[in-house]
Amino acid sequence: MSEINKFIQALQNHKPLECVCNPWRDYHHEYDIGEEAPALRAVHLQHYLHLRVPQARFILVAEALGYQGGRFSGIAMTSERILLNNHQHVHPATVFDPKHFRRTSSKDSKHLSATQKKLGFNEPTATVVWGEIRDNNISPSDVILWNIFPFHPHKAGQPLTNRTPKEAEKEEGLVYVKMLQKLCPKAEIIAIGNQSHQTLQKYGIENKKVPHPSMGGVTRFRQAFKELVQQ
């Protein structure tokens, strides 16, 4: 078994705390296309990492997986809309060969809007981050997008929401950050946002910080990211 497959298997075997979806393990009949959805998301992650390990130059680490992004794509800060080639600015081939992608959110779910049913989920953070990778002429294979807590934390009884991960969850998630570091020993860690930066610092993981693009921070994120990657 390859090191990438061992890493994915470790993620699949993890049983998070309550109000958390493990996208590579968990299936929800109201939102997913079927019981094969978690395995499909694991295949997505496998192809994504295969293009980037071990040569990645940067690992961008945000706080947690979002329902509009990795919950259904299986890849952090990456939306289904990108991989379905329904995104206006980001081409799916920048992530991995789209022939390996299958949508996992259900077009028939009553919980999705008409646009989400037609085009797939879209995550604002994914749009900004992938746009900056492109605009700074960085090879997509040089960057791995990740989260301190690699699973999707949501509010009780509301799977299509996001919540801030608890301290215990962040500590659980750091195991996988460290595993990813071993897979890509030359990669520089860039924390996206204060929470990610502070958690990594707390547990002795060296990193550089850029502002999170949410909450009006897009311009500051772009400026800081450009300065770091062009050094």
Side-chain angles (χ1 to χ4, degrees):
M1 183 183 295
S2 73
E3 294 305 308
I4 290 174
N5 287 344
K6 289 179 183 177
F7 176 65
I8 294 173
Q9 188 175 76
L11 290 166
Q12 291 174 309
N13 290 338
H14 185 81
K15 297 180 180 179
L17 302 175
E18 293 182 359
C19 300
V20 174
C21 172
N22 178 340
W24 310 285
R25 176 190 179 97
D26 299 338
Y27 154 72
H28 197 295
H29 70 281
E30 292 187 54
Y31 308 105
D32 287 314
I33 57 168
E35 294 183 3
E36 72 273 24
L40 291 173
R41 291 188 283 263
V43 169
H44 299 163
L45 183 59
Q46 181 186 44
H47 285 289
Y48 174 79
L49 291 176
H50 180 73
L51 294 173
R52 293 161 171 83
V53 172
Q55 75 274 9
R57 296 169 52 209
F58 306 104
I59 300 175
L60 272 61
V61 184
E63 193 170 24
L65 212 62
Y67 79 91
Q68 297 179 100
R71 162 61 179 88
F72 290 103
S73 72
I75 300 168
M77 291 177 273
T78 303
S79 65
E80 285 187 313
R81 198 166 300 182
I82 291 173
L83 295 171
L84 288 166
N85 201 20
N86 291 327
H87 197 282
Q88 188 175 2
H89 303 294
V90 187
H91 193 276
T94 60
V95 185
F96 60 80
D97 189 335
K99 72 181 181 183
H100 298 302
F101 177 71
R102 278 191 59 193
R103 176 175 179 160
T104 69
S105 69
S106 173
K107 295 180 181 180
D108 300 321
S109 175
K110 64 181 180 180
H111 302 284
L112 273 63
S113 69
T115 301
Q116 289 167 342
K117 289 178 181 179
K118 181 180 179 181
L119 302 178
F121 280 96
N122 186 46
E123 184 178 66
T125 297
T127 297
V128 175
V129 173
W130 279 106
E132 286 309 294
I133 293 171
R134 176 199 62 217
D135 292 347
N136 284 281
N137 297 314
I138 302 170
S139 170
S141 63
D142 282 346
V143 182
I144 293 176
L145 306 180
W146 200 248
N147 291 285
I148 287 178
F149 189 61
F151 312 106
H152 170 229
H154 57 80
K155 298 176 183 177
Q158 302 179 63
L160 296 186
T161 60
N162 296 326
R163 68 167 173 81
T164 301
K166 302 172 183 177
E167 286 302 313
E169 291 170 333
K170 293 179 186 179
E171 189 170 350
E172 287 179 2
L174 283 167
V175 171
Y176 303 100
V177 175
K178 292 176 179 178
M179 289 176 70
L180 197 54
Q181 278 187 295
K182 290 182 179 179
L183 289 176
C184 305
K186 297 181 180 179
E188 181 177 20
I189 303 290
I190 298 178
I192 299 180
N194 287 328
Q195 293 301 317
S196 175
H197 171 66
Q198 291 168 4
T199 302
L200 292 170
Q201 291 285 89
K202 178 181 177 181
Y203 290 95
I205 298 176
E206 185 177 344
N207 69 96
K208 295 181 179 178
K209 182 186 73 171
V210 294
H212 198 287
S214 66
M215 304 298 289
V218 173
T219 299
R220 292 184 296 114
F221 169 81
R222 286 174 173 160
Q223 291 173 342
F225 184 74
K226 182 177 182 178
E227 289 175 4
L228 279 181
V229 299
Q230 294 189 359
Q231 287 179 355

